[in-house]
Amino acid sequence: MRDLGLRFVRHNLFWPTLALVLLLLLNLTKTPDFFSLRLQDGHLYGSLIDILRNSAPTLLIALGMTLVIATRGIDLSVGAVAAISGAVACTYMAGSPDESTAGRAVIGMTMAVAVAVLLGVWNGFLVSVLGIQPIIATLVLMTAGRGLAMLITDGQITTVNNSLFAKVSTGFVLGLPIAILIALAVFAITAVLTRRTALGMLIEAVGINPEASRLAGVRARTITWTVYVFVAFCAGIAGLMIASNTSAADANAAGLFIELDAILAVVIGGTSLAGGRFSLTGTLIGAMFIQTLATTIPTMGIPAETNYLFKAVVVIVVCLLQSPKARAVLSVRRSSPLLTKGSAA
Amino acid sequence: MIQMTAEAAEATRTEPVVQMSGVSVSFPGVKALQSVGLTLRPGEVHALMGENGAGKSTLIKALTGVYSIDEGTIIVGGEPRTFHSPAESQAAGISTVYQEVNLCTNLTVAENMLLGREPRSFGRIDTRAMNRRAGETLTRLGLDIDPKSQLGTHPIAIQQLVAIARAVDIDAELLILDEPTSSLDADEVAKLFEVMRTLRAEGVAIVFVSHFLEQVFAISDRMTVLRNGQFVGEYLTAETTQLQLVQAMIGRELETLEKIEQAAEEHTVKTQGAPLMEVIDLGRKGSVESVDLQLFEGEVIGIAGLLGSGRTELARLLFGADTPDHGDMRMRSKGTKLRTPRQAIDHKIAFSSENRRSEGVIADLSIADNMVLAMQASRGWLRPIPARTKDRLVRKYIEALDIRPADPNALMRNLSGGNQQKVLLARWLITEPELLILDEPTRGIDIGAKAQIQQLVADLSKDGMSVVFISAELEEVLRLSDRLVVMRDRRKIDERANEDVTVSDVLEIIAGEVRNDA
Ligand SMILES: Nc1ncnc2c1ncn2[C@@H]1O[C@H](COP(=O)(O)OP(=O)(O)OP(=O)(O)O)[C@@H](O)[C@H]1O
Ligand SMILES: [Mg+2]
């Protein structure tokens, strides 16, 4: 019995899930109908739905980021890529007389995602072919990207009037917001692609020991390159969601600091920044947690601006939970072999 | 006690430096040590013996504070002590070289040796003094390496020697060496033993772990044998025979020693028809100078040569791990260029690196994933190995190579060194190669398993597989190879059929060239 309990506590997703549940319960104390869902005109509404929908862009990017981090990399440029994606779509649509047609929206969005993928190819090239450290390589696009987005939008906030485009973020299908469905679809596809094929194992191998993987015949370079393209693809879609939400492309504000939220979501979900083993479900929970936190703070009557302060606390707690020393202190038995030895090895 | 030095004999009467008793250590699902004792006396070399996974490294780590113990007492210098970190034990005069050398490859040799104890002048690190001091210690070990060079540029054996030099340089009462000689040549071993003898005479207690029985009998005064995490006994080396030791280690009346001798094959020359692989004038600046070599089907080629002779470098060229600057390669008479390991694997070549930790082990993946990695990589990510096939292959090799724990899901990082080596061997056997390049495949492997692996190589070559076999242990090379290639100074200096060649012949070939040069 005790063993079962321990197994449960030691499960990788135990702490993130517990934190999310506690945070949700905290909301319940202030908002008694927090968990209630309403069906109105065939659309589901409620706080939980809002949280899910608002977390969609972060979740999307965090999924891609999980794979990048698993290869020991990081991508700081996702926010800028999201901004560029929104800028491309909106500028293309706004710049034509048939701005509001569905065809325009489809072409605009396709172009936007294509540009994002291209930027991912660039990042991947710098990291996997030229061997530049990921943090530096993606910093290039992080800083230059917003300038690029400004160039595309001519420094204006480009608004569009296109109902199909607006639907990406505000529309409903089968009673659920489209944004949620897209994010969950990408989650499912990523999960299938990594866990039903050998991709996940190969990504982890590259992240844990790149040289040993290369000598075992793993195409480490291709894999690394691919994950940067993938995260940019995710960022492109996230950028469309963000722009669609306001039907406008704001080169300065769109996706600002979203890379930090995405990284935080990954880390909360239990994927180590040192690379290797990753958990997509963990990332899903992490993204939920961050969005719930952002929702909870105003609900508790605390100014929303302090959001970052709370995130900082979360970061500290996560770091502590991952540190072997802190775990040893926290563990019930001081010399519990479960906690001290596994990490000391 | 006949062979014991006077100092050692006297020392037995003095207080032990370390006395461990009733020590138990367990990991989730594994009882690594059960009530084990170890007594270390000043001025004695104490060999810690046992099969792969017997618990030698764990016992050492329990002493030095890497692992915490569940039960038992550790008395150091007459007082009960529990170390909570390796740093604490080092401060208490215990200097340790762990089995998996863990130095900083991006620092210089000198920096590695004096890390944490850098000589300072006016508060700043005195690089000059540091290099000088490191140089002196290296010379003492007979090592001709530049203390200013970056550690990562040296082969694993040199890195191991640097780790030893670092440990020796620390003013310690107890020096622990966990398989320090696993990749060293006879010469380096001799120099190491010299230093160990000096330290012993100075009253230092030394723990020595090795799977080379001759070395153990040559250097140790006393031995403690472990089996399956349990204490078997403590013996005086002078009063013990090799057979008795092996029986204590294995726990059965086993003819292992004879088995090793039996692995000696009748060697046949198999150089008929077109070679499987042929290289002409193959070379790479700074690693190997133009080598001509032919490899035939079903043939075992042994590469002999001292440390730094270019044997590993040649293997890497044959596998495409490094790309040659010049020369041609033909596979089955077809011109071939190998630019990546992947291309080599597509040509059914396999290469097991001597550098287990950094070029083999994927520590955070399971035994199963580690085993199928090469096969999976060559199938491509879109075609995962079916779960049942994977399971069957993994179980087959766990059994065939007697890997412990026999749990496919155990994490590679939790395996003992020898068992990790076996998993890596399995990784390549699973790919069913036509040419298998083995660089120090028996490194850190116990005598029973070594005989088993040698037998395996002999069998595989009988079935038509070509094998390139590299080992610092010349006896092993001679026992297995049909043809012998001798390397020196990054060149191939001799090649001959392995007929009545002896170890001293090989040494003479190597030395003979020196005389010719002079
Ligand atoms: N961190 C760990 N977690 C779980 N099991 C471990 C861990 N470290 C060691 N073990 C297990 O403990 C046992 C003893 O391992 P140890 O490394 O001490 O063997 P060893 O005698 O040094 O063997 P070798 O000769 O191969 O180096 C093995 O079964 C090993 O799998
Ligand atoms: Mg060991």
Side-chain angles (χ1 to χ4, degrees):
Chain A
M1 194 55 225
R2 195 195 142 99
D3 263 15
L4 197 75
L6 272 174
R7 272 250 289 291
F8 202 63
V9 173
R10 289 181 67 228
H11 192 283
N12 298 340
L13 296 183
F14 176 76
W15 291 109
T17 313
L18 184 70
L20 179 59
V21 169
L22 286 181
L23 202 57
L24 289 171
L25 289 178
L26 185 65
N27 274 286
L28 201 60
T29 62
K30 281 276 171 186
T31 329
D33 60 346
F34 188 73
F35 287 120
S36 65
L37 302 173
R38 280 172 295 118
L39 198 64
Q40 201 175 320
D41 310 330
H43 300 168
L44 266 182
Y45 291 97
S47 309
L48 289 181
I49 297 290
D50 287 344
I51 289 177
L52 270 171
R53 186 179 59 198
N54 293 336
S55 71
T58 312
L59 173 57
L60 270 176
I61 293 180
L63 288 172
M65 192 71 83
T66 308
L67 301 189
V68 170
I69 287 177
T71 64
R72 273 197 204 175
I74 197 139
D75 188 345
L76 296 180
S77 72
V78 284
V81 172
I84 292 174
S85 163
V88 168
C90 291
T91 310
Y92 174 77
M93 279 182 267
S96 83
D98 53 352
E99 179 184 334
S100 56
T101 62
R104 274 272 135 182
V106 170
I107 297 177
M109 290 192 283
T110 311
M111 274 173 56
V113 174
V115 169
V117 164
L118 223 65
L119 295 172
V121 170
W122 163 257
N123 277 334
F125 174 77
L126 294 185
V127 174
S128 67
V129 180
L130 299 189
I132 302 174
Q133 284 183 359
I135 199 164
I136 304 295
T138 57
L139 195 61
V140 174
L141 200 54
M142 179 190 184
T143 44
R146 296 231 168 244
L148 206 64
M150 290 288 258
L151 274 180
I152 296 170
T153 59
D154 233 351
Q156 309 288 315
I157 295 184
T158 310
T159 55
V160 286
N161 179 11
N162 185 309
S163 60
L164 179 65
F165 184 60
K167 279 221 170 73
V168 170
S169 141
T170 55
F172 284 80
V173 168
L174 300 171
L176 282 172
I178 292 176
I180 295 181
L181 293 176
I182 293 178
L184 289 184
V186 172
F187 171 78
I189 291 170
T190 316
V192 168
L193 273 184
T194 52
R195 294 306 183 198
R196 288 291 143 128
T197 70
L199 189 61
M201 192 255 271
L202 296 178
I203 286 176
E204 289 179 340
V206 169
I208 297 165
N209 191 339
E211 182 59 9
S213 304
R214 185 182 82 95
L215 289 174
V218 180
R219 293 214 160 94
R221 178 181 290 185
T222 316
I223 285 181
T224 311
W225 202 335
T226 312
V227 295
Y228 282 91
V229 174
F230 179 67
V231 73
F233 168 80
C234 293
I237 297 180
L240 291 177
M241 273 183 196
I242 294 166
S244 151
N245 203 19
T246 53
S247 278
D250 182 344
N252 272 324
L256 197 61
F257 297 141
I258 201 167
E259 60 277 348
L260 299 184
D261 278 351
I263 294 168
L264 189 54
V266 174
V267 175
I268 291 175
T271 301
S272 156
L273 281 177
R277 289 274 171 122
F278 66 88
S279 163
L280 292 171
T281 312
T283 298
L284 179 71
I285 294 171
M288 294 295 102
F289 180 84
I290 292 175
Q291 189 56 47
T292 311
L293 188 67
T295 316
T296 309
I297 289 163
T299 317
M300 304 306 290
I302 306 166
E305 295 75 48
T306 55
N307 194 354
Y308 288 107
L309 196 69
F310 284 93
K311 276 188 198 162
V313 173
V314 173
V315 172
I316 292 173
V317 171
V318 169
C319 293
L320 280 178
L321 283 177
Q322 290 193 349
S323 123
K325 278 236 174 80
R327 281 201 203 190
V329 173
L330 280 175
S331 86
V332 205
R333 280 197 300 150
R334 169 61 187 83
S335 65
S336 164
L338 294 174
L339 295 165
T340 44
K341 275 167 211 159
S343 36
Chain B
M1 287 226 187
I2 322 141
Q3 283 184 353
M4 243 195 250
T5 58
E7 286 91 338
E10 180 198 337
T12 44
R13 270 171 259 121
T14 61
E15 181 100 326
V17 180
V18 166
Q19 187 153 25
M20 302 173 80
S21 44
V23 170
S24 299
V25 172
S26 54
F27 302 107
V30 191
K31 281 198 171 154
L33 292 177
Q34 293 175 56
S35 194
V36 171
L38 179 69
T39 307
L40 305 171
R41 301 165 183 84
E44 262 190 41
V45 175
H46 197 114
L48 195 53
M49 304 298 295
E51 292 182 282
N52 291 136
K56 305 179 293 294
S57 302
T58 306
L59 185 59
I60 288 169
K61 288 179 182 169
L63 169 59
T64 62
V66 178
Y67 297 147
S68 53
I69 60 174
D70 298 342
E71 282 167 31
T73 51
I74 302 177
I75 295 172
V76 180
E79 279 171 43
R81 295 284 307 258
T82 313
F83 300 118
H84 297 288
S85 72
E88 258 180 55
S89 61
Q90 185 171 321
I94 301 179
S95 172
T96 315
V97 179
Y98 295 97
Q99 187 172 7
E100 304 300 337
V101 174
N102 205 354
L103 296 176
C104 309
T105 44
N106 52 351
L107 296 184
T108 67
V109 169
E111 281 163 347
N112 268 296
M113 286 176 58
L114 292 156
L115 201 65
R117 309 175 289 126
E118 300 90 348
R120 286 166 191 272
S121 62
F122 306 109
R124 296 185 46 213
I125 292 177
D126 185 347
T127 318
R128 274 252 208 86
M130 185 160 75
N131 289 334
R132 185 160 17 84
R133 171 133 171 233
E136 283 164 13
T137 314
L138 290 171
T139 318
R140 195 167 149 211
L141 275 166
L143 288 174
D144 181 24
I145 19 180
D146 180 5
K148 293 193 285 287
S149 59
Q150 200 182 320
L151 185 74
T153 59
H154 296 290
I156 186 77
I158 296 278
Q159 295 185 21
Q160 199 170 26
L161 284 164
V162 170
I164 295 171
R166 173 188 161 85
V168 165
D169 189 42
I170 294 172
D171 214 0
E173 279 171 59
L174 172 60
L175 173 66
I176 302 178
L177 303 170
D178 193 352
E179 297 199 31
T181 57
S182 59
S183 55
L184 301 189
D185 290 329
D187 262 6
E188 281 97 25
V189 173
K191 293 215 178 83
L192 173 63
F193 281 5
E194 235 169 74
V195 173
M196 284 169 69
R197 289 197 182 97
T198 316
L199 290 173
R200 169 168 67 186
E202 288 165 6
V204 177
I206 302 176
V207 173
F208 179 71
V209 180
S210 172
H211 290 293
F212 296 106
L213 299 189
E214 303 79 38
Q215 293 180 5
V216 169
F217 278 94
I219 191 77
S220 73
D221 304 302
R222 218 182 271 268
M223 318 188 267
T224 289
V225 176
L226 302 182
R227 191 195 320 141
N228 287 333
Q230 280 166 336
F231 176 82
V232 177
E234 195 200 66
Y235 310 90
L236 277 173
T237 309
E239 295 169 0
T240 312
T241 65
Q242 287 213 2
L243 200 62
Q244 285 169 331
L245 173 63
V246 171
Q247 274 172 8
M249 281 163 61
I250 299 177
R252 285 164 274 151
E253 297 269 337
L254 211 90
E255 58 297 354
T256 309
L257 282 177
E258 289 97 277
K259 229 166 93 189
I260 294 180
E261 308 305 331
Q262 271 168 21
E265 281 282 304
E266 66 302 352
H267 306 297
T268 43
V269 183
K270 294 164 183 158
T271 52
Q272 295 124 1
L276 174 69
M277 182 197 251
E278 180 174 21
V279 299
I280 300 150
D281 188 31
L282 194 74
R284 177 186 160 93
K285 206 159 174 288
S287 89
V288 183
E289 280 171 38
S290 31
V291 169
D292 295 336
L293 192 64
Q294 294 185 320
L295 309 173
F296 291 86
E297 210 166 275
E299 187 188 32
V300 181
I301 295 230
I303 302 188
L306 300 181
L307 191 63
S309 60
R311 48 186 201 208
T312 292
E313 289 77 359
L314 176 60
R316 290 179 65 89
L317 285 186
L318 296 181
F319 184 65
D322 296 326
T323 40
D325 305 329
H326 55 83
D328 293 317
M329 177 182 287
R330 273 185 228 137
M331 287 292 294
R332 300 193 180 284
S333 310
K334 274 223 308 264
T336 309
K337 281 218 157 34
L338 300 179
R339 282 202 197 75
T340 61
R342 180 51 185 275
Q343 290 171 344
I345 294 167
D346 290 344
H347 279 96
K348 304 229 95 96
I349 305 175
F351 167 62
S352 164
S353 163
E354 64 169 346
N355 199 344
R356 173 163 73 220
R357 204 171 100 94
S358 63
E359 296 182 350
V361 165
I362 314 278
D364 286 330
L365 290 188
S366 63
I367 292 184
D369 283 344
N370 268 279
M371 268 196 198
V372 300
L373 185 64
M375 181 187 189
Q376 182 62 68
S378 65
R379 285 171 67 103
W381 64 271
L382 265 175
R383 290 173 51 227
I385 302 168
R388 278 177 71 209
T389 316
K390 180 169 167 178
D391 198 57
R392 183 176 50 76
L393 283 172
V394 170
R395 288 192 187 281
K396 175 179 152 193
Y397 281 99
I398 285 182
E399 196 177 321
L401 299 176
D402 190 20
I403 292 167
R404 284 178 245 175
D407 170 12
N409 296 319
L411 284 192
M412 192 73 163
R413 70 156 66 253
N414 293 338
L415 262 55
S416 78
N419 282 300
Q420 287 182 349
Q421 183 67 40
K422 293 185 196 173
V423 172
L424 296 180
L425 213 58
R427 174 188 291 172
W428 292 113
L429 294 179
I430 284 178
T431 65
E432 298 183 343
E434 288 172 2
L435 171 59
L436 177 61
I437 304 171
L438 298 172
D439 194 358
E440 304 277 4
T442 57
R443 181 169 174 231
I445 282 191
D446 67 45
I447 44 163
K450 192 180 255 181
Q452 205 181 343
I453 284 170
Q454 292 175 355
Q455 192 59 51
L456 191 77
V457 169
D459 291 347
L460 288 171
S461 78
K462 246 191 229 133
D463 293 345
M465 193 187 291
S466 308
V467 180
V468 173
F469 193 91
I470 304 173
S471 171
E473 213 188 324
L474 289 177
E475 293 83 357
E476 188 180 43
V477 175
L478 288 175
R479 193 173 305 135
L480 283 174
S481 47
D482 299 314
R483 206 145 46 90
L484 193 69
V485 168
V486 184
M487 302 210 36
R488 192 176 70 83
D489 291 339
R490 311 193 171 280
R491 279 186 302 128
K492 179 176 123 180
I493 55 167
D494 194 90
E495 180 181 332
R496 59 180 66 193
N498 183 13
E499 283 161 2
D500 307 321
V501 185
T502 64
V503 170
S504 51
D505 290 344
V506 177
L507 290 174
E508 232 162 70
I509 296 170
I510 295 171
E513 278 286 313
V514 179
R515 253 178 266 133
N516 290 350
D517 283 359

